[in-house]
Amino acid sequence: YMTNLPGSQIILGNQRKVKHILETNRIPHTDIDLSDPTNNQEKEFLQQKLTSMNKTIVLPQIFHDQDYC
């Protein structure tokens, strides 16, 4: 999970680092942009999942299927 409208340079840098690691290691992945209104279901899933684990939503977040990594 990531955003194309990061609120800070730190988030933007962290997103770039994660994407670079995934691409360098040829790990297949799908970027889910939470700033895109068409991804509201995914945003709700992320909120529910992280809230149930007492975690705050700080992007980027990595999941494997439904599992938090």
Side-chain angles (χ1 to χ4, degrees):
Y1 293 86
M2 45 77 69
T3 180
N4 281 326
L5 302 172
S8 74
Q9 291 298 317
I10 293 171
I11 292 173
L12 180 61
N14 288 343
Q15 289 182 161
R16 286 181 180 159
K17 287 177 193 174
V18 167
K19 189 165 181 128
H20 176 73
I21 290 167
L22 293 171
E23 290 173 352
T24 300
N25 291 292
R26 296 184 178 144
I27 299 171
H29 64 281
T30 303
D31 293 338
I32 299 174
D33 179 10
L34 296 181
S35 66
D36 184 344
T38 62
N39 289 331
N40 280 338
Q41 269 189 309
E42 288 84 357
K43 185 175 183 177
E44 288 177 16
F45 164 78
L46 180 64
Q47 289 172 332
Q48 290 172 357
K49 190 73 166 184
L50 294 181
T51 300
S52 73
M53 299 183 323
N54 294 321
K55 298 206 177 277
T56 57
I57 298 174
V58 178
L59 299 176
Q61 293 289 332
I62 300 174
F63 279 76
H64 181 262
D65 295 325
Q66 303 281 320
D67 299 322
Y68 178 73
C69 298

Short mmCIF file of all heavy atoms in Angstrom, two decimals:
data_model
loop_
_atom_site.label_atom_id
_atom_site.label_comp_id
_atom_site.label_asym_id
_atom_site.label_seq_id
_atom_site.Cartn_x
_atom_site.Cartn_y
_atom_site.Cartn_z
N TYR A 1 0.84 -1.16 0.00
CA TYR A 1 0.00 0.00 0.00
C TYR A 1 0.89 1.23 0.00
O TYR A 1 1.88 1.29 0.74
CB TYR A 1 -0.90 0.01 1.23
CG TYR A 1 -1.92 -1.11 1.22
CD1 TYR A 1 -1.62 -2.37 1.71
CD2 TYR A 1 -3.18 -0.90 0.67
CE1 TYR A 1 -2.53 -3.39 1.69
CE2 TYR A 1 -4.11 -1.92 0.66
CZ TYR A 1 -3.79 -3.16 1.15
OH TYR A 1 -4.70 -4.17 1.12
N MET A 2 0.53 2.21 -0.82
CA MET A 2 1.30 3.43 -0.94
C MET A 2 0.38 4.56 -1.35
O MET A 2 -0.83 4.37 -1.45
CB MET A 2 2.44 3.24 -1.96
CG MET A 2 2.06 2.55 -3.26
SD MET A 2 1.18 3.54 -4.49
CE MET A 2 2.38 4.70 -5.01
N THR A 3 0.94 5.72 -1.56
CA THR A 3 0.15 6.86 -2.02
C THR A 3 0.94 7.65 -3.05
O THR A 3 2.16 7.77 -2.94
CB THR A 3 -0.28 7.78 -0.86
OG1 THR A 3 -1.04 8.86 -1.39
CG2 THR A 3 0.90 8.32 -0.09
N ASN A 4 0.23 8.18 -4.02
CA ASN A 4 0.86 9.06 -4.99
C ASN A 4 0.85 10.51 -4.50
O ASN A 4 1.36 11.39 -5.16
CB ASN A 4 0.17 8.96 -6.35
CG ASN A 4 0.61 7.73 -7.11
OD1 ASN A 4 1.75 7.29 -7.00
ND2 ASN A 4 -0.30 7.15 -7.87
N LEU A 5 0.23 10.74 -3.33
CA LEU A 5 0.20 12.07 -2.73
C LEU A 5 0.77 12.02 -1.31
O LEU A 5 0.06 12.22 -0.33
CB LEU A 5 -1.26 12.59 -2.68
CG LEU A 5 -1.99 12.69 -4.02
CD1 LEU A 5 -3.45 13.01 -3.81
CD2 LEU A 5 -1.32 13.73 -4.90
N PRO A 6 2.07 11.73 -1.20
CA PRO A 6 2.65 11.62 0.15
C PRO A 6 2.63 12.96 0.87
O PRO A 6 2.82 14.01 0.26
CB PRO A 6 4.07 11.15 -0.12
CG PRO A 6 4.38 11.61 -1.50
CD PRO A 6 3.06 11.58 -2.25
N GLY A 7 2.40 12.90 2.17
CA GLY A 7 2.35 14.13 2.95
C GLY A 7 3.71 14.61 3.40
O GLY A 7 3.82 15.70 3.94
N SER A 8 4.74 13.80 3.18
CA SER A 8 6.08 14.21 3.61
C SER A 8 7.13 13.56 2.72
O SER A 8 6.88 12.56 2.05
CB SER A 8 6.31 13.83 5.07
OG SER A 8 6.53 12.43 5.17
N GLN A 9 8.31 14.13 2.77
CA GLN A 9 9.44 13.58 2.02
C GLN A 9 9.87 12.23 2.60
O GLN A 9 10.39 11.39 1.87
CB GLN A 9 10.61 14.57 2.04
CG GLN A 9 10.34 15.83 1.22
CD GLN A 9 10.12 15.51 -0.25
OE1 GLN A 9 10.83 14.71 -0.85
NE2 GLN A 9 9.12 16.14 -0.84
N ILE A 10 9.65 12.04 3.90
CA ILE A 10 10.01 10.76 4.53
C ILE A 10 9.18 9.63 3.95
O ILE A 10 9.71 8.57 3.60
CB ILE A 10 9.85 10.86 6.06
CG1 ILE A 10 10.88 11.83 6.63
CG2 ILE A 10 9.99 9.47 6.70
CD1 ILE A 10 10.68 12.17 8.08
N ILE A 11 7.87 9.84 3.83
CA ILE A 11 6.99 8.81 3.26
C ILE A 11 7.39 8.55 1.81
O ILE A 11 7.49 7.40 1.39
CB ILE A 11 5.51 9.21 3.36
CG1 ILE A 11 5.08 9.20 4.84
CG2 ILE A 11 4.62 8.29 2.54
CD1 ILE A 11 3.70 9.75 5.09
N LEU A 12 7.62 9.60 1.05
CA LEU A 12 8.02 9.44 -0.34
C LEU A 12 9.31 8.64 -0.44
O LEU A 12 9.41 7.71 -1.24
CB LEU A 12 8.20 10.82 -1.00
CG LEU A 12 8.63 10.82 -2.46
CD1 LEU A 12 7.59 10.13 -3.33
CD2 LEU A 12 8.86 12.25 -2.93
N GLY A 13 10.29 8.96 0.39
CA GLY A 13 11.56 8.23 0.38
C GLY A 13 11.39 6.78 0.78
O GLY A 13 11.98 5.89 0.16
N ASN A 14 10.57 6.51 1.79
CA ASN A 14 10.33 5.13 2.22
C ASN A 14 9.64 4.33 1.12
O ASN A 14 9.96 3.16 0.92
CB ASN A 14 9.50 5.10 3.51
CG ASN A 14 10.29 5.57 4.71
OD1 ASN A 14 11.51 5.61 4.69
ND2 ASN A 14 9.59 5.93 5.77
N GLN A 15 8.70 4.94 0.44
CA GLN A 15 8.01 4.25 -0.67
C GLN A 15 9.01 3.91 -1.77
O GLN A 15 8.99 2.80 -2.32
CB GLN A 15 6.88 5.12 -1.23
CG GLN A 15 5.72 5.24 -0.29
CD GLN A 15 4.58 6.06 -0.86
OE1 GLN A 15 3.48 5.93 -0.36
NE2 GLN A 15 4.76 6.90 -1.84
N ARG A 16 9.88 4.83 -2.09
CA ARG A 16 10.88 4.58 -3.13
C ARG A 16 11.82 3.44 -2.73
O ARG A 16 12.18 2.60 -3.55
CB ARG A 16 11.69 5.85 -3.41
CG ARG A 16 10.93 6.87 -4.19
CD ARG A 16 11.77 8.09 -4.46
NE ARG A 16 11.02 9.08 -5.21
CZ ARG A 16 11.32 10.35 -5.26
NH1 ARG A 16 12.38 10.82 -4.61
NH2 ARG A 16 10.59 11.19 -5.97
N LYS A 17 12.24 3.43 -1.46
CA LYS A 17 13.14 2.38 -0.97
C LYS A 17 12.48 1.01 -1.07
O LYS A 17 13.10 0.05 -1.55
CB LYS A 17 13.53 2.64 0.48
CG LYS A 17 14.51 3.77 0.65
CD LYS A 17 14.77 4.00 2.13
CE LYS A 17 15.49 5.30 2.36
NZ LYS A 17 15.62 5.62 3.79
N VAL A 18 11.23 0.91 -0.62
CA VAL A 18 10.53 -0.38 -0.65
C VAL A 18 10.36 -0.84 -2.09
O VAL A 18 10.62 -2.00 -2.42
CB VAL A 18 9.17 -0.28 0.07
CG1 VAL A 18 8.30 -1.49 -0.22
CG2 VAL A 18 9.37 -0.11 1.56
N LYS A 19 9.94 0.07 -2.96
CA LYS A 19 9.75 -0.30 -4.36
C LYS A 19 11.07 -0.74 -5.00
O LYS A 19 11.13 -1.72 -5.74
CB LYS A 19 9.14 0.87 -5.13
CG LYS A 19 8.70 0.49 -6.52
CD LYS A 19 7.80 1.54 -7.11
CE LYS A 19 7.37 1.10 -8.47
NZ LYS A 19 5.97 1.13 -8.66
N HIS A 20 12.16 -0.06 -4.68
CA HIS A 20 13.47 -0.42 -5.21
C HIS A 20 13.88 -1.81 -4.73
O HIS A 20 14.38 -2.63 -5.53
CB HIS A 20 14.51 0.62 -4.77
CG HIS A 20 15.90 0.28 -5.18
ND1 HIS A 20 16.33 0.37 -6.48
CD2 HIS A 20 16.96 -0.17 -4.46
CE1 HIS A 20 17.59 -0.01 -6.54
NE2 HIS A 20 18.00 -0.34 -5.33
N ILE A 21 13.67 -2.11 -3.46
CA ILE A 21 14.02 -3.43 -2.92
C ILE A 21 13.22 -4.52 -3.63
O ILE A 21 13.76 -5.56 -4.02
CB ILE A 21 13.80 -3.47 -1.40
CG1 ILE A 21 14.84 -2.61 -0.69
CG2 ILE A 21 13.84 -4.90 -0.87
CD1 ILE A 21 14.54 -2.32 0.76
N LEU A 22 11.92 -4.30 -3.78
CA LEU A 22 11.07 -5.30 -4.44
C LEU A 22 11.50 -5.51 -5.89
O LEU A 22 11.60 -6.65 -6.36
CB LEU A 22 9.60 -4.87 -4.37
CG LEU A 22 8.98 -4.86 -2.97
CD1 LEU A 22 7.60 -4.21 -3.02
CD2 LEU A 22 8.91 -6.24 -2.38
N GLU A 23 11.74 -4.42 -6.60
CA GLU A 23 12.12 -4.53 -8.01
C GLU A 23 13.52 -5.13 -8.18
O GLU A 23 13.73 -5.95 -9.07
CB GLU A 23 12.02 -3.17 -8.69
CG GLU A 23 10.57 -2.73 -8.85
CD GLU A 23 10.42 -1.30 -9.37
OE1 GLU A 23 11.43 -0.58 -9.49
OE2 GLU A 23 9.27 -0.93 -9.66
N THR A 24 14.46 -4.73 -7.34
CA THR A 24 15.83 -5.25 -7.43
C THR A 24 15.85 -6.75 -7.20
O THR A 24 16.61 -7.48 -7.87
CB THR A 24 16.73 -4.54 -6.40
OG1 THR A 24 16.75 -3.14 -6.69
CG2 THR A 24 18.14 -5.08 -6.45
N ASN A 25 15.03 -7.21 -6.29
CA ASN A 25 14.98 -8.64 -5.98
C ASN A 25 13.95 -9.39 -6.82
O ASN A 25 13.68 -10.56 -6.56
CB ASN A 25 14.70 -8.84 -4.49
CG ASN A 25 15.87 -8.40 -3.65
OD1 ASN A 25 16.92 -9.02 -3.69
ND2 ASN A 25 15.71 -7.31 -2.92
N ARG A 26 13.39 -8.69 -7.80
CA ARG A 26 12.41 -9.27 -8.73
C ARG A 26 11.26 -9.95 -8.00
O ARG A 26 10.83 -11.05 -8.35
CB ARG A 26 13.09 -10.23 -9.69
CG ARG A 26 14.08 -9.53 -10.57
CD ARG A 26 14.69 -10.45 -11.59
NE ARG A 26 15.60 -9.66 -12.43
CZ ARG A 26 16.72 -10.12 -12.91
NH1 ARG A 26 17.09 -11.35 -12.67
NH2 ARG A 26 17.49 -9.36 -13.65
N ILE A 27 10.79 -9.27 -6.97
CA ILE A 27 9.64 -9.77 -6.21
C ILE A 27 8.38 -9.18 -6.83
O ILE A 27 8.22 -7.96 -6.86
CB ILE A 27 9.75 -9.36 -4.73
CG1 ILE A 27 11.02 -9.97 -4.11
CG2 ILE A 27 8.50 -9.76 -3.95
CD1 ILE A 27 11.35 -9.48 -2.73
N PRO A 28 7.52 -10.04 -7.37
CA PRO A 28 6.30 -9.52 -7.97
C PRO A 28 5.45 -8.81 -6.92
O PRO A 28 5.31 -9.29 -5.79
CB PRO A 28 5.58 -10.75 -8.52
CG PRO A 28 6.35 -11.93 -8.09
CD PRO A 28 7.59 -11.49 -7.40
N HIS A 29 4.91 -7.67 -7.28
CA HIS A 29 4.11 -6.89 -6.34
C HIS A 29 3.10 -6.03 -7.09
O HIS A 29 3.23 -5.81 -8.30
CB HIS A 29 5.00 -6.01 -5.47
CG HIS A 29 5.75 -4.97 -6.25
ND1 HIS A 29 6.89 -5.27 -6.96
CD2 HIS A 29 5.52 -3.65 -6.43
CE1 HIS A 29 7.32 -4.17 -7.55
NE2 HIS A 29 6.51 -3.17 -7.25
N THR A 30 2.13 -5.57 -6.36
CA THR A 30 1.13 -4.66 -6.91
C THR A 30 1.08 -3.44 -6.02
O THR A 30 0.92 -3.56 -4.80
CB THR A 30 -0.26 -5.34 -6.92
OG1 THR A 30 -0.18 -6.54 -7.67
CG2 THR A 30 -1.31 -4.43 -7.51
N ASP A 31 1.25 -2.27 -6.61
CA ASP A 31 1.11 -1.02 -5.86
C ASP A 31 -0.37 -0.70 -5.73
O ASP A 31 -1.10 -0.70 -6.73
CB ASP A 31 1.79 0.14 -6.60
CG ASP A 31 3.30 0.00 -6.66
OD1 ASP A 31 3.86 -0.72 -5.82
OD2 ASP A 31 3.91 0.62 -7.55
N ILE A 32 -0.81 -0.45 -4.52
CA ILE A 32 -2.19 -0.02 -4.29
C ILE A 32 -2.12 1.40 -3.77
O ILE A 32 -1.66 1.65 -2.65
CB ILE A 32 -2.91 -0.95 -3.29
CG1 ILE A 32 -2.96 -2.37 -3.86
CG2 ILE A 32 -4.32 -0.43 -3.00
CD1 ILE A 32 -3.51 -3.39 -2.92
N ASP A 33 -2.57 2.33 -4.60
CA ASP A 33 -2.51 3.76 -4.28
C ASP A 33 -3.73 4.15 -3.45
O ASP A 33 -4.84 4.19 -3.96
CB ASP A 33 -2.45 4.57 -5.57
CG ASP A 33 -2.41 6.06 -5.33
OD1 ASP A 33 -2.24 6.50 -4.17
OD2 ASP A 33 -2.56 6.80 -6.32
N LEU A 34 -3.51 4.46 -2.18
CA LEU A 34 -4.62 4.80 -1.30
C LEU A 34 -5.16 6.20 -1.56
O LEU A 34 -6.23 6.54 -1.06
CB LEU A 34 -4.20 4.66 0.16
CG LEU A 34 -3.85 3.24 0.59
CD1 LEU A 34 -3.49 3.20 2.06
CD2 LEU A 34 -4.98 2.27 0.31
N SER A 35 -4.47 7.00 -2.35
CA SER A 35 -4.99 8.33 -2.69
C SER A 35 -5.97 8.26 -3.86
O SER A 35 -6.66 9.23 -4.15
CB SER A 35 -3.86 9.30 -3.02
OG SER A 35 -3.17 8.91 -4.19
N ASP A 36 -6.07 7.11 -4.51
CA ASP A 36 -7.00 6.90 -5.63
C ASP A 36 -8.36 6.52 -5.07
O ASP A 36 -8.50 5.51 -4.37
CB ASP A 36 -6.46 5.78 -6.52
CG ASP A 36 -7.30 5.54 -7.76
OD1 ASP A 36 -8.45 6.00 -7.82
OD2 ASP A 36 -6.79 4.88 -8.68
N PRO A 37 -9.40 7.32 -5.35
CA PRO A 37 -10.74 7.05 -4.81
C PRO A 37 -11.31 5.68 -5.21
O PRO A 37 -12.17 5.15 -4.51
CB PRO A 37 -11.62 8.16 -5.38
CG PRO A 37 -10.69 9.18 -5.91
CD PRO A 37 -9.37 8.52 -6.14
N THR A 38 -10.80 5.08 -6.27
CA THR A 38 -11.31 3.77 -6.68
C THR A 38 -10.78 2.66 -5.78
O THR A 38 -11.24 1.52 -5.88
CB THR A 38 -10.94 3.46 -8.15
OG1 THR A 38 -9.52 3.41 -8.28
CG2 THR A 38 -11.52 4.50 -9.09
N ASN A 39 -9.85 2.98 -4.90
CA ASN A 39 -9.28 1.97 -4.00
C ASN A 39 -9.84 2.08 -2.57
O ASN A 39 -9.17 1.70 -1.61
CB ASN A 39 -7.75 2.11 -3.96
CG ASN A 39 -7.10 1.67 -5.24
OD1 ASN A 39 -7.62 0.82 -5.95
ND2 ASN A 39 -5.97 2.25 -5.56
N ASN A 40 -11.06 2.55 -2.44
CA ASN A 40 -11.65 2.71 -1.11
C ASN A 40 -11.78 1.39 -0.36
O ASN A 40 -11.57 1.34 0.85
CB ASN A 40 -13.01 3.40 -1.19
CG ASN A 40 -12.86 4.91 -1.32
OD1 ASN A 40 -11.85 5.47 -0.95
ND2 ASN A 40 -13.89 5.55 -1.85
N GLN A 41 -12.11 0.31 -1.06
CA GLN A 41 -12.21 -1.00 -0.40
C GLN A 41 -10.87 -1.43 0.18
O GLN A 41 -10.80 -1.93 1.31
CB GLN A 41 -12.71 -2.07 -1.36
CG GLN A 41 -14.20 -2.23 -1.36
CD GLN A 41 -14.60 -3.44 -2.18
OE1 GLN A 41 -14.18 -3.60 -3.32
NE2 GLN A 41 -15.41 -4.30 -1.60
N GLU A 42 -9.81 -1.23 -0.58
CA GLU A 42 -8.48 -1.58 -0.12
C GLU A 42 -8.07 -0.72 1.07
O GLU A 42 -7.45 -1.20 2.02
CB GLU A 42 -7.45 -1.45 -1.25
CG GLU A 42 -7.57 -2.52 -2.31
CD GLU A 42 -8.62 -2.20 -3.37
OE1 GLU A 42 -9.31 -1.16 -3.26
OE2 GLU A 42 -8.76 -3.00 -4.30
N LYS A 43 -8.44 0.56 1.03
CA LYS A 43 -8.13 1.46 2.14
C LYS A 43 -8.85 1.02 3.41
O LYS A 43 -8.26 0.99 4.49
CB LYS A 43 -8.54 2.88 1.77
CG LYS A 43 -8.15 3.92 2.79
CD LYS A 43 -8.50 5.31 2.30
CE LYS A 43 -8.04 6.37 3.27
NZ LYS A 43 -8.32 7.72 2.76
N GLU A 44 -10.12 0.63 3.28
CA GLU A 44 -10.88 0.14 4.43
C GLU A 44 -10.27 -1.14 4.99
O GLU A 44 -10.17 -1.32 6.20
CB GLU A 44 -12.34 -0.09 4.05
CG GLU A 44 -13.11 1.21 3.85
CD GLU A 44 -14.54 0.98 3.40
OE1 GLU A 44 -15.06 -0.16 3.53
OE2 GLU A 44 -15.14 1.94 2.91
N PHE A 45 -9.84 -2.04 4.10
CA PHE A 45 -9.19 -3.28 4.53
C PHE A 45 -7.94 -2.95 5.35
O PHE A 45 -7.73 -3.49 6.43
CB PHE A 45 -8.82 -4.16 3.34
CG PHE A 45 -7.83 -5.23 3.68
CD1 PHE A 45 -8.23 -6.38 4.35
CD2 PHE A 45 -6.48 -5.08 3.37
CE1 PHE A 45 -7.30 -7.36 4.70
CE2 PHE A 45 -5.55 -6.05 3.72
CZ PHE A 45 -5.97 -7.20 4.38
N LEU A 46 -7.11 -2.06 4.82
CA LEU A 46 -5.87 -1.70 5.51
C LEU A 46 -6.17 -1.09 6.88
O LEU A 46 -5.55 -1.46 7.88
CB LEU A 46 -5.06 -0.72 4.66
CG LEU A 46 -3.74 -0.24 5.26
CD1 LEU A 46 -2.78 -1.41 5.42
CD2 LEU A 46 -3.14 0.85 4.41
N GLN A 47 -7.14 -0.18 6.93
CA GLN A 47 -7.50 0.44 8.21
C GLN A 47 -7.97 -0.59 9.22
O GLN A 47 -7.55 -0.58 10.38
CB GLN A 47 -8.58 1.50 7.99
CG GLN A 47 -8.08 2.73 7.28
CD GLN A 47 -9.20 3.68 6.90
OE1 GLN A 47 -10.34 3.28 6.68
NE2 GLN A 47 -8.87 4.97 6.80
N GLN A 48 -8.85 -1.50 8.79
CA GLN A 48 -9.37 -2.52 9.70
C GLN A 48 -8.27 -3.46 10.18
O GLN A 48 -8.18 -3.80 11.35
CB GLN A 48 -10.49 -3.31 9.03
CG GLN A 48 -11.75 -2.51 8.82
CD GLN A 48 -12.77 -3.25 7.98
OE1 GLN A 48 -12.54 -4.35 7.49
NE2 GLN A 48 -13.93 -2.63 7.79
N LYS A 49 -7.43 -3.89 9.25
CA LYS A 49 -6.37 -4.84 9.58
C LYS A 49 -5.37 -4.24 10.57
O LYS A 49 -5.05 -4.85 11.58
CB LYS A 49 -5.65 -5.27 8.29
CG LYS A 49 -4.70 -6.40 8.46
CD LYS A 49 -5.42 -7.70 8.65
CE LYS A 49 -4.47 -8.86 8.47
NZ LYS A 49 -5.14 -10.13 8.56
N LEU A 50 -4.91 -3.03 10.28
CA LEU A 50 -3.92 -2.41 11.16
C LEU A 50 -4.53 -2.01 12.50
O LEU A 50 -3.86 -2.14 13.54
CB LEU A 50 -3.28 -1.21 10.47
CG LEU A 50 -2.43 -1.53 9.24
CD1 LEU A 50 -1.83 -0.26 8.67
CD2 LEU A 50 -1.34 -2.53 9.56
N THR A 51 -5.77 -1.56 12.51
CA THR A 51 -6.43 -1.21 13.76
C THR A 51 -6.58 -2.43 14.65
O THR A 51 -6.36 -2.36 15.86
CB THR A 51 -7.81 -0.57 13.49
OG1 THR A 51 -7.62 0.61 12.71
CG2 THR A 51 -8.51 -0.19 14.77
N SER A 52 -6.92 -3.57 14.06
CA SER A 52 -7.08 -4.81 14.83
C SER A 52 -5.76 -5.27 15.45
O SER A 52 -5.74 -6.00 16.42
CB SER A 52 -7.68 -5.92 13.97
OG SER A 52 -6.74 -6.41 13.04
N MET A 53 -4.63 -4.82 14.87
CA MET A 53 -3.31 -5.18 15.39
C MET A 53 -2.70 -4.04 16.22
O MET A 53 -1.53 -4.08 16.56
CB MET A 53 -2.38 -5.53 14.23
CG MET A 53 -2.86 -6.72 13.43
SD MET A 53 -1.77 -7.27 12.08
CE MET A 53 -1.09 -5.81 11.41
N ASN A 54 -3.52 -3.01 16.50
CA ASN A 54 -3.06 -1.83 17.25
C ASN A 54 -1.87 -1.14 16.59
O ASN A 54 -0.95 -0.69 17.27
CB ASN A 54 -2.73 -2.19 18.71
CG ASN A 54 -3.96 -2.60 19.48
OD1 ASN A 54 -5.03 -2.01 19.31
ND2 ASN A 54 -3.83 -3.60 20.31
N LYS A 55 -1.90 -1.07 15.27
CA LYS A 55 -0.84 -0.39 14.52
C LYS A 55 -1.42 0.86 13.86
O LYS A 55 -2.60 0.90 13.56
CB LYS A 55 -0.25 -1.31 13.46
CG LYS A 55 0.39 -2.56 14.04
CD LYS A 55 1.44 -3.08 13.13
CE LYS A 55 2.13 -4.27 13.72
NZ LYS A 55 3.18 -3.93 14.63
N THR A 56 -0.59 1.85 13.67
CA THR A 56 -1.02 3.06 12.98
C THR A 56 -0.74 2.92 11.49
O THR A 56 0.15 2.17 11.08
CB THR A 56 -0.30 4.30 13.51
OG1 THR A 56 1.11 4.10 13.38
CG2 THR A 56 -0.65 4.56 14.96
N ILE A 57 -1.50 3.66 10.71
CA ILE A 57 -1.32 3.61 9.26
C ILE A 57 -0.23 4.60 8.87
O ILE A 57 -0.42 5.81 8.93
CB ILE A 57 -2.62 3.94 8.52
CG1 ILE A 57 -3.68 2.91 8.85
CG2 ILE A 57 -2.38 4.00 7.01
CD1 ILE A 57 -5.04 3.23 8.27
N VAL A 58 0.93 4.06 8.56
CA VAL A 58 2.04 4.85 8.04
C VAL A 58 2.48 4.15 6.77
O VAL A 58 2.80 2.97 6.79
CB VAL A 58 3.20 4.92 9.06
CG1 VAL A 58 4.37 5.69 8.48
CG2 VAL A 58 2.74 5.54 10.37
N LEU A 59 2.43 4.87 5.68
CA LEU A 59 2.77 4.26 4.39
C LEU A 59 4.27 4.32 4.16
O LEU A 59 4.93 5.22 4.64
CB LEU A 59 2.02 4.98 3.28
CG LEU A 59 0.50 4.90 3.40
CD1 LEU A 59 -0.16 5.71 2.31
CD2 LEU A 59 0.01 3.48 3.38
N PRO A 60 4.82 3.37 3.42
CA PRO A 60 4.17 2.24 2.78
C PRO A 60 3.92 1.09 3.76
O PRO A 60 4.57 1.00 4.80
CB PRO A 60 5.17 1.82 1.71
CG PRO A 60 6.50 2.19 2.29
CD PRO A 60 6.26 3.44 3.09
N GLN A 61 2.99 0.24 3.40
CA GLN A 61 2.69 -0.99 4.15
C GLN A 61 2.80 -2.15 3.18
O GLN A 61 2.44 -2.02 2.01
CB GLN A 61 1.27 -0.96 4.73
CG GLN A 61 1.08 0.07 5.81
CD GLN A 61 1.80 -0.29 7.10
OE1 GLN A 61 2.02 -1.45 7.40
NE2 GLN A 61 2.17 0.73 7.85
N ILE A 62 3.27 -3.28 3.66
CA ILE A 62 3.45 -4.46 2.80
C ILE A 62 2.61 -5.61 3.33
O ILE A 62 2.65 -5.92 4.52
CB ILE A 62 4.93 -4.88 2.73
CG1 ILE A 62 5.77 -3.73 2.16
CG2 ILE A 62 5.10 -6.14 1.89
CD1 ILE A 62 7.25 -3.98 2.18
N PHE A 63 1.88 -6.22 2.42
CA PHE A 63 1.06 -7.39 2.72
C PHE A 63 1.38 -8.46 1.70
O PHE A 63 1.70 -8.17 0.55
CB PHE A 63 -0.43 -7.07 2.63
CG PHE A 63 -0.98 -6.39 3.85
CD1 PHE A 63 -0.74 -5.06 4.09
CD2 PHE A 63 -1.76 -7.10 4.75
CE1 PHE A 63 -1.25 -4.43 5.21
CE2 PHE A 63 -2.29 -6.48 5.87
CZ PHE A 63 -2.03 -5.14 6.11
N HIS A 64 1.28 -9.71 2.12
CA HIS A 64 1.32 -10.85 1.22
C HIS A 64 -0.06 -11.45 1.28
O HIS A 64 -0.44 -12.03 2.30
CB HIS A 64 2.40 -11.86 1.64
CG HIS A 64 2.48 -13.01 0.72
ND1 HIS A 64 1.86 -14.21 0.98
CD2 HIS A 64 3.10 -13.14 -0.48
CE1 HIS A 64 2.10 -15.04 -0.01
NE2 HIS A 64 2.85 -14.42 -0.91
N ASP A 65 -0.82 -11.27 0.22
CA ASP A 65 -2.25 -11.61 0.20
C ASP A 65 -2.91 -10.83 1.33
O ASP A 65 -2.91 -9.61 1.30
CB ASP A 65 -2.46 -13.11 0.29
CG ASP A 65 -1.92 -13.86 -0.92
OD1 ASP A 65 -1.99 -13.29 -2.04
OD2 ASP A 65 -1.41 -14.97 -0.76
N GLN A 66 -3.47 -11.50 2.33
CA GLN A 66 -4.14 -10.82 3.44
C GLN A 66 -3.26 -10.69 4.67
O GLN A 66 -3.71 -10.22 5.71
CB GLN A 66 -5.41 -11.60 3.82
CG GLN A 66 -6.40 -11.78 2.68
CD GLN A 66 -7.23 -10.54 2.44
OE1 GLN A 66 -7.65 -9.88 3.38
NE2 GLN A 66 -7.46 -10.21 1.19
N ASP A 67 -2.02 -11.13 4.58
CA ASP A 67 -1.12 -11.17 5.73
C ASP A 67 -0.20 -9.96 5.79
O ASP A 67 0.49 -9.66 4.82
CB ASP A 67 -0.28 -12.45 5.71
CG ASP A 67 -1.13 -13.70 5.79
OD1 ASP A 67 -2.15 -13.69 6.52
OD2 ASP A 67 -0.79 -14.69 5.11
N TYR A 68 -0.14 -9.32 6.95
CA TYR A 68 0.74 -8.18 7.19
C TYR A 68 2.19 -8.65 7.28
O TYR A 68 2.48 -9.64 7.93
CB TYR A 68 0.32 -7.50 8.49
CG TYR A 68 1.18 -6.33 8.90
CD1 TYR A 68 1.09 -5.13 8.21
CD2 TYR A 68 2.05 -6.43 9.96
CE1 TYR A 68 1.86 -4.05 8.59
CE2 TYR A 68 2.82 -5.37 10.35
CZ TYR A 68 2.73 -4.17 9.66
OH TYR A 68 3.49 -3.11 10.05
N CYS A 69 3.07 -7.97 6.61
CA CYS A 69 4.49 -8.35 6.63
C CYS A 69 5.29 -7.34 7.44
O CYS A 69 5.20 -6.20 7.31
CB CYS A 69 5.05 -8.42 5.23
SG CYS A 69 4.25 -9.66 4.20
#
